[in-house]
């Protein structure tokens, strides 16, 4: 019978992801009509996702497929062959790493498949050897439309004693530019023999997972973030206050000059006379001795 990849469960991390064994379900991507991905050396290829995928609160429509056994979101450049243990913080990569190692994908096959009936996008590395090493590894990632992630291992218990089962590999998920403080990663193994054949693990996001709805890299206050208005990309802790009547930098204060003391619809920072409701930008000028339109000139 199919077995699960790891005896243990893990998490939650700071965002709320957990992991647990799941049923092994290898997809023959080539037979299912998938598309080949051309990667070699340490290169990557950008793949369009069939739907927006949420990873640690950010929404992505594309993913970069690395020759070195991982997926990356959002960032330019490449992952690189030198696998690093998680967590990686303060960097610029968001990683899904089923088998991050120094691989030679040009001597194997890498495939992608939009498996719409099952609500998943599959990336598969098939018979890919390690650089200057023995054995050929086969594994795949399933990204689900509900934000879940699965790693499936067909053949990873191969190679030399120091590479078999993930002995030279990073396995896990990581967000190096977290929207929340704390450890935003789950590592199942790093340079340790933890993988076995015909097994699988599922990473599950928290129920009601928080999103960065306005795409300004700040999560809503309601879920532990620091964005006081997650419907406005111009409002977040890193923003500069402008004359709009909003708490632009989320410091809890709206500058006094953004008040509208005379209730004429214009804030004091641009109103030429915030004590006179008949004076504001764009108001028709009349012969009343006031600068009605705030152009610094009186009628007559």
């Amino acid at each position: 019978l199919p077995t699960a990849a790891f005896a243990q469960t893990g998490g939650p991390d700071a965002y709320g992801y957990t992991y647990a064994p799941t049923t092994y379900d290898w997809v023959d991507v080539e037979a299912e009509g998938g598309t080949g991905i051309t990667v070699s050396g340490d290169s990557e290829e950008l793949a369009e996702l069939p739907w927006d995928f949420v990873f640690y609160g950010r929404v992505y429509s594309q993913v970069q497929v690395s020759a070195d056994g991982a997926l990356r979101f959002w960032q330019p450049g490449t992952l690189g062959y030198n696998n690093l243990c998680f967590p990686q913080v303060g960097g610029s990569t968001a990683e899904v790493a089923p088998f991050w190692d120094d691989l030679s994908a040009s001597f194997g096959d890498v495939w992608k498949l939009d498996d719409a009936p099952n609500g998943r996008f599959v990336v598969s590395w098939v018979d890919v050897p390690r650089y200057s090493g023995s054995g050929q590894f086969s594994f795949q990632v399933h990204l689900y439309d509900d934000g879940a992630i699965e790693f499936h291992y067909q053949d990873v218990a191969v190679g030399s004693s120091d590479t078999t089962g993930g002995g030279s590999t990073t396995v896990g998920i990581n967000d190096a530019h977290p929207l929340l403080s704390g450890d935003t990663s789950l590592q199942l193994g790093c340079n340790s023999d933890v993988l076995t054949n015909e097994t699988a693990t599922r990473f599950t996001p928290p129920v009601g997972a928080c999103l960065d709805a306005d795409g300004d890299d700040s999560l809503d206050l309601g879920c532990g973030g620091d964005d006081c208005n997650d419907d406005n990309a111009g409002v977040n802790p890193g923003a500069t206050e402008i004359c709009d009547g909003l708490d632009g930098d989320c410091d809890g204060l709206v500058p006094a000059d953004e008040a509208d003391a005379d209730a004429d619809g214009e804030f004091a920072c641009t109103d030429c006379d915030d004590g006179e409701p008949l004076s504001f930008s764009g108001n028709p000028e009349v012969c009343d001795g006031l600068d009605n339109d705030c152009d610094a000139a009186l009628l007559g």
Side-chain angles (χ1 to χ4, degrees):
L1 293 176
T3 56
F6 303 94
Q8 76 273 26
T9 59
D13 65 3
Y15 182 76
Y17 277 103
T18 58
Y19 68 84
T22 193
T23 301
Y24 173 70
D25 180 20
W26 182 264
V27 180
D28 188 337
V29 175
E30 181 179 9
E32 293 294 327
T35 303
I37 294 177
T38 304
V39 286
S40 61
D42 304 310
S43 69
E44 298 183 0
E45 181 173 301
L46 189 65
E48 297 291 332
L49 295 171
W51 16 252
D52 287 341
F53 184 76
V54 179
F55 187 62
Y56 282 105
R58 292 181 173 87
V59 182
Y60 300 97
S61 60
Q62 300 174 316
V63 65
Q64 290 174 211
V65 180
S66 170
D68 291 313
L71 305 179
R72 295 195 313 128
F73 294 104
W74 187 70
Q75 306 79 19
T78 59
L79 182 68
Y81 66 88
N82 185 26
N83 70 297
L84 303 172
C85 296
F86 296 154
Q88 290 292 310
V89 296
S92 61
T93 58
E95 300 140 339
V96 174
F99 202 86
W100 179 15
D101 201 350
D102 186 7
L103 303 179
S104 295
S106 56
F107 293 98
D109 294 302
V110 183
W111 298 86
K112 62 181 178 180
L113 173 69
D114 177 7
D115 184 14
N118 292 299
R120 63 185 173 183
F121 181 77
V122 180
V123 179
S124 187
W125 291 258
V126 180
D127 295 333
V128 176
R130 192 172 189 274
Y131 180 76
S132 298
S134 60
Q136 294 177 319
F137 303 95
S138 296
F139 54 92
Q140 58 190 206
V141 176
H142 301 177
L143 301 181
Y144 286 86
D145 54 10
D146 64 358
I149 302 166
E150 291 182 359
F151 295 167
H152 293 257
Y153 298 98
Q154 184 186 66
D155 196 3
V156 291
V158 295
S160 62
S161 59
D162 62 340
T163 61
T164 186
S168 59
T169 303
T170 299
V171 180
I173 61 175
N174 178 73
D175 187 22
H177 47 288
L179 298 175
L180 293 172
S181 61
D183 183 0
T184 50
S185 70
L186 286 176
Q187 179 174 276
L188 282 68
C190 184
N191 301 327
S192 55
D193 183 359
V194 296
L195 303 177
T196 54
N197 292 345
E198 297 188 358
T199 59
T201 291
R202 181 180 179 90
F203 297 83
T204 304
V207 176
C210 203
L211 300 180
D212 175 21
D214 56 14
D216 62 1
D217 283 352
S218 294
L219 291 177
D220 189 81
L221 288 174
C223 59
D226 54 8
D227 193 336
C228 56
N229 187 343
D230 202 35
D231 293 321
N232 187 334
V235 176
N236 59 75
T240 300
E241 286 280 4
I242 61 174
C243 186
D244 58 3
L246 302 175
D247 179 12
D249 58 5
C250 291
D251 65 354
L253 302 172
V254 177
D257 63 358
E258 291 184 44
D260 181 12
D262 56 13
D264 60 6
E266 185 168 21
F267 300 116
C269 39
T270 58
D271 194 336
C272 61
D273 187 347
D274 200 39
E276 173 51 66
L278 297 178
S279 294
F280 57 89
S281 300
N283 190 34
E285 191 73 64
V286 296
C287 190
D288 60 359
L290 300 174
D291 182 7
N292 305 106
D293 59 4
C294 287
D295 66 352
L298 303 181
L299 188 64

